[in-house]
Amino acid sequence: MEGKEAAGAGGATSADLEQELEAGIECLRQLGIHLETSKAENETVFFDKINKLIAHYKSIYSMRDAVTGSVPFGVISEYLDQELSPELFTKHRLQAAEALNQQGKGRVDSLRVLRDSIRSEMDKRLGPSVKVTFEAE
């Protein structure tokens, strides 16, 4: 998902949406803990947590326009089919992007070395009076 901030849904940004998602996840975690540890007589706390979760969902839904762009389902379907989390998808994509970035940086560095060696060779053979400029520096 692209992280472009937009002033959608009452001025909400993608950072606001991210915070609301994290709060919703925390609410779900607390609800799970409450279900595992509480007894049946504590229904009011349980329903309060459910209502809090519903409020988080409503807030998230109202901020849905805060982030523009989308991830096509076909892109992440292999992760979902293998029952992997979207976090793993993001991690793998970031690793692939980093590897491509390193390759590109290596190519640029190699071209700089080539450019410098061509300049020094031209200075040796043609003399220092001829100056050759390269467009992309």
Side-chain angles (χ1 to χ4, degrees), residues 41-59:
E41 67 269 357
N42 230 350
E43 284 184 3
T44 56
V45 174
F46 173 72
F47 286 116
D48 286 343
K49 290 190 182 291
I50 295 255
N51 287 331
K52 241 185 190 178
L53 183 61
I54 291 170
H56 282 295
Y57 283 147
K58 285 180 181 178
S59 181

Side-chain angles (χ1 to χ4, degrees), residues 1-7 12-18 65-71 90 94:
M1 200 180 289
E2 294 178 25
K4 297 179 186 174
E5 291 190 10
T13 64
S14 59
D16 296 335
L17 180 60
E18 184 178 345
D65 295 328
V67 177
T68 58
S70 63
V71 177
T90 303
L94 287 173

Side-chain angles (χ1 to χ4, degrees), residues 5-117:
E5 291 190 10
T13 64
S14 59
D16 296 335
L17 180 60
E18 184 178 345
Q19 288 176 348
E20 190 62 35
L21 284 168
E22 289 174 359
I25 291 169
E26 178 62 22
C27 186
L28 276 172
R29 188 185 70 75
Q30 289 176 2
L31 183 62
I33 291 171
H34 179 75
L35 285 173
E36 289 178 5
T37 59
S38 72
K39 305 290 184 221
E41 67 269 357
N42 230 350
E43 284 184 3
T44 56
V45 174
F46 173 72
F47 286 116
D48 286 343
K49 290 190 182 291
I50 295 255
N51 287 331
K52 241 185 190 178
L53 183 61
I54 291 170
H56 282 295
Y57 283 147
K58 285 180 181 178
S59 181
I60 290 168
Y61 184 77
S62 71
M63 288 190 246
R64 69 189 178 278
D65 295 328
V67 177
T68 58
S70 63
V71 177
F73 183 73
V75 174
I76 60 171
S77 66
E78 68 183 65
Y79 283 84
L80 296 176
D81 290 343
Q82 297 172 9
E83 297 181 5
L84 298 174
S85 73
E87 290 176 357
L88 284 177
F89 170 78
T90 303
K91 179 182 175 185
H92 292 154
R93 292 296 175 193
L94 287 173
Q95 288 172 344
E98 183 179 8
L100 286 173
N101 188 23
Q102 289 176 354
Q103 287 177 349
K105 185 180 181 308
R107 288 177 183 156
V108 168
D109 291 344
S110 296
L111 289 172
R112 284 189 181 135
V113 169
L114 177 63
R115 179 196 63 197
D116 293 341
S117 67

